[in-house]
Amino acid sequence: MMEVEEVGNKMQSQMRLHPEPEDDADLPLPALFDRASRLHGLASSSALDQEGIRKGVELLRRCDEMVSKLGLFSTNETKEDVSTANLKYLLVPYYLGEITEKIAQEDRIPILKASQNHLKEFIALCEVLELIPEDELELSRQKQPDTVANRRAQKIARFRRQKAAETKLQEIKERKERRGRSLRAAALSAPVEAGEEDALEDDGEEEREAWLATISLALCKAFDLLDMLKKEEEMLLAVKERQEKDGNAFAREMLDERTQKAEAWHHNAANRAPYSKPADPITCATFAQDVLEGRASVSQAHEHKHQPLIFGPASLVGGGLTSERERIAAQVFQPGYRLPTMSIEEAGLREMKMMEKWQERTAKMIKEANSAWHKDGTSSAQEDEDAEEAKARAWDDWKDDNPRGAGNKKLTPCG
């Protein structure tokens, strides 16, 4: 991955500082596709400027023209009939649709339409070659009703196919790395015969699996990108139609009205500032939203009371509960978990009060510890040491005056 990034950075710097020569008209299709795919990779990672993106679009268009002239794919073939060397050219329309969408232009609608046409061409070609799953085809052909459940199931299936393709590509990459390490170790340990080397390096089937997994991954991304481009086109067409219908006068009038309201509000606030008393801070999120949207005033009193949720029939919950019987009936259907006993605002206010009490108690203890009477009642370490030393000296003097056994009369000869 680091090598790819280094190559991309070098290519980007060369394109910006030293533009590529225009003598690439005679390049063969494999070399042209490699150069175009590198530019597509840089554009996908947002490491390419607009000049490089347009250059990539030009190279991919030339690749598409060459593929059409050579007739590499036919409507009478399936994926088994396509050779491994030609599988990668199926990605040309997909690369072209993805990189075309990144072109920056004032009128974006033609860009969206061109990108959608390339993606539809790629999907149609894969459909002819039987590379698209049946469930994806059924929904795209409107054989299934376009419901929320069907769209959700389609997204889940598409996500699973995408993860399976990514896992397959990762496995093939790790397999190639292990084989490369084993080949290098075998070359160092013992010479490899010509036939054995061909057998070890024969990875045509593995390359085919890699390109098929790449095409499957590109199909999943193409369907998602096509849906996104359709929605973007619909929004842009609606905005354009609104502008053509109303013109810019409506927007300018709305902006002027908002500007006047903002200026009047600031002017009135500046006039009231010297005489008005600052309002208490709003600690309730719902009340703050009501104030911002004009449903309430800052001066209104607001109590942070948590209203418990009531479950039950809509006729009881929606209407007023006039009797104890109706209230109990509305509370029959209760959830299987504990309901909150207070709102977030109430919990925050309670914690704030606890912290204030704790700070007051801590400040009081610090004040008492620094007071004079508290200091008088405690002795210093030096005084404690002096007292211990005096006690030890008094004990030594007593032992000198009273030797061991002096008071025992039985030890004396005349006892």
Side-chain angles (χ1 to χ4, degrees), residues 1-10 42 173 177:
M1 192 65 184
M2 295 298 295
E3 295 178 358
V4 175
E5 292 178 358
E6 290 176 2
V7 172
N9 295 332
K10 289 180 181 178
L42 292 174
K173 180 182 177 182
E177 292 177 355

Side-chain angles (χ1 to χ4, degrees), residues 200-263:
L200 288 172
E201 293 183 355
D202 187 15
D203 57 349
E205 189 65 29
E206 190 176 73
E207 183 182 0
R208 187 176 185 85
E209 291 180 3
W211 282 117
L212 289 176
T214 304
I215 293 170
S216 177
L217 181 62
L219 274 171
C220 297
K221 294 182 179 180
F223 279 113
D224 292 337
L225 182 60
L226 189 61
D227 294 340
M228 185 186 68
L229 295 179
K230 287 180 181 179
K231 293 178 181 179
E232 186 178 357
E233 184 183 5
E234 292 175 359
M235 289 189 293
L236 291 178
L237 288 174
V239 171
K240 186 176 181 180
E241 183 180 358
R242 176 72 180 273
Q243 289 179 352
E244 291 177 354
K245 182 178 179 180
D246 299 338
N248 295 328
F250 178 76
R252 176 58 57 186
E253 183 180 355
M254 183 180 295
L255 289 176
D256 293 342
E257 182 180 357
R258 291 183 178 180
T259 304
Q260 292 176 2
K261 286 184 178 180
E263 291 178 353

